[in-house]
Amino acid sequence: MESKANFTTSTDKCLLQSDELYEAGTLLIHSLKRNSFMFMFLRAVMGTAPDAGQFMALLLKLINPKKTIEIGVFTGYSLLLTALTIPDDGKITAIDINRSTYEIGLPIIEKSGVKHKINFIESEALPVLDQLLKDPANKETFDFAFVDADKINYANYHEKLLELLKPGGVVVYDNTLWGGSVAMPEDSVPKFRLASRDAAIEFNKYLGNDTRVQISQVPVGDGVTVCRRL
Ligand SMILES: C[S@@+](CC[C@H](N)C(=O)[O-])C[C@H]1O[C@@H](n2cnc3c(N)ncnc32)[C@H](O)[C@@H]1O
Ligand SMILES: O=c1cc(-c2ccc(O)cc2)oc2c(O)c(O)ccc12
């Protein structure tokens, strides 16, 4: 099989580098097709990969979180997936700098009957996390967080999320393998991808040395790292 950096289109960013391997290896087809149209629409450009979404839905069912936070909403693929998976009285604080992309997916969220679980905040994420932390009632209350935004801030998000998460709470980071580029020589990575690739390498080292969490880097989608707060 040809080895290539997976930078061709936004929809084939999975690390399994052929369709056959992706389908055979992950036995995805049946469970993904059940909801494919709705989710394909929302995933459009930057959405989390379907196998990573499937993995996250499984994690969410296992954790059954009531209080969650998402950083990086885009058109709402992972947001809808979370909203559909958590219990009916579960809540998601969803943060993105751009409300207009959230509004593209909003009609589907509304049709799915899960809008009541979502508090969308249009903002840079860091000030929102700081604001939440100003209220002691928010500290150590979140069960789950998903981070899928600007890669250069992942370590900053991690520090604040650890204060917001309960002991035993889980944070999932998307794109921690960044198309496989974290293991590639710098000169084979397209220039526009370098900053995020370097940030992912630094972040992975930083998480690997963080004794406050138990981690597992899972090679689904673009690489997701699951951290459980100790
Ligand atoms: C990869 S997309 C999120 C995809 C989404 N999780 C999904 O599955 O469809 C990244 C999003 O992060 C948002 N973003 C980037 N930097 C941000 C920041 N500093 N604070 C909040 N949102 C940010 C972008 O506007 C974009 O919508
Ligand atoms: O193509 C992208 C770009 C991003 C990205 C890059 C830089 C930022 O400050 C925010 C977002 O994120 C992506 C992503 O998370 C994904 O799953 C696929 C593609 C992209």
Side-chain angles (χ1 to χ4, degrees):
M1 186 172 41
E2 188 191 351
S3 164
K4 63 177 168 88
N6 206 350
F7 294 132
T8 46
T9 73
S10 58
T11 52
D12 71 352
K13 60 186 178 292
C14 176
L15 295 162
L16 300 172
Q17 294 280 294
S18 78
D19 289 348
E20 292 78 11
L21 191 53
Y22 186 77
E23 290 175 16
T26 58
L27 297 174
L28 277 171
I29 297 311
H30 178 66
S31 72
L32 292 180
K33 276 195 175 153
R34 277 196 303 237
N35 47 34
S36 59
F37 175 72
M38 193 166 62
F39 282 126
M40 273 168 59
F41 175 75
L42 293 188
R43 275 194 59 242
V45 187
M46 288 203 288
T48 300
D51 57 338
Q54 184 191 44
F55 174 70
M56 201 162 96
L58 175 63
L59 260 186
L60 284 165
K61 273 290 174 213
L62 293 170
I63 298 165
N64 200 34
K66 287 266 171 78
K67 199 169 169 187
T68 77
I69 190 159
E70 173 164 310
I71 301 177
V73 170
F74 189 48
T75 48
Y77 168 75
S78 52
L79 180 61
L80 175 61
L81 179 147
T82 304
L84 285 170
T85 310
I86 65 175
D88 198 52
D89 58 348
K91 296 283 175 250
I92 310 165
T93 301
I95 311 163
D96 201 293
I97 41 174
N98 189 351
R99 188 180 175 92
S100 64
T101 49
Y102 167 66
E103 282 177 351
I104 293 171
L106 190 54
I108 297 178
I109 288 173
E110 284 169 341
K111 267 197 176 163
S112 306
V114 291
K115 168 100 185 342
H116 62 284
K117 302 184 193 179
I118 297 168
N119 174 26
F120 178 84
I121 301 172
E122 183 182 36
S123 171
E124 288 277 346
L126 280 173
V128 176
L129 300 181
D130 284 333
Q131 197 60 40
L132 286 170
L133 283 167
K134 275 190 188 154
D135 182 352
N138 283 319
K139 289 199 178 173
E140 301 199 329
T141 60
F142 284 80
D143 304 294
F144 181 84
F146 178 60
V147 179
D148 186 14
D150 47 338
K151 319 306 164 197
I152 52 166
N153 267 317
Y154 274 25
N156 295 325
Y157 297 143
H158 186 67
E159 287 304 317
K160 309 218 182 269
L161 288 170
L162 283 190
E163 290 188 59
L164 289 167
L165 283 176
K166 288 176 181 167
V170 170
V171 51
V172 173
Y173 294 97
D174 197 12
N175 310 108
T176 55
L177 296 175
W178 201 230
S181 67
V182 291
M184 288 170 191
E186 191 173 320
D187 59 9
S188 65
V189 180
K191 274 208 167 62
F192 75 99
R193 291 258 178 189
L194 260 184
S196 294
R197 174 256 194 192
D198 293 348
I201 292 172
E202 280 310 305
F203 182 64
N204 291 342
K205 278 190 207 151
Y206 160 88
L207 272 190
N209 288 317
D210 187 349
T211 54
R212 300 165 297 175
V213 286
Q214 175 187 3
I215 65 167
S216 177
Q217 191 174 58
V218 186
V220 291
D222 198 23
V224 299
T225 301
V226 182
C227 308
R228 178 177 153 270
R229 200 201 129 176
L230 297 174

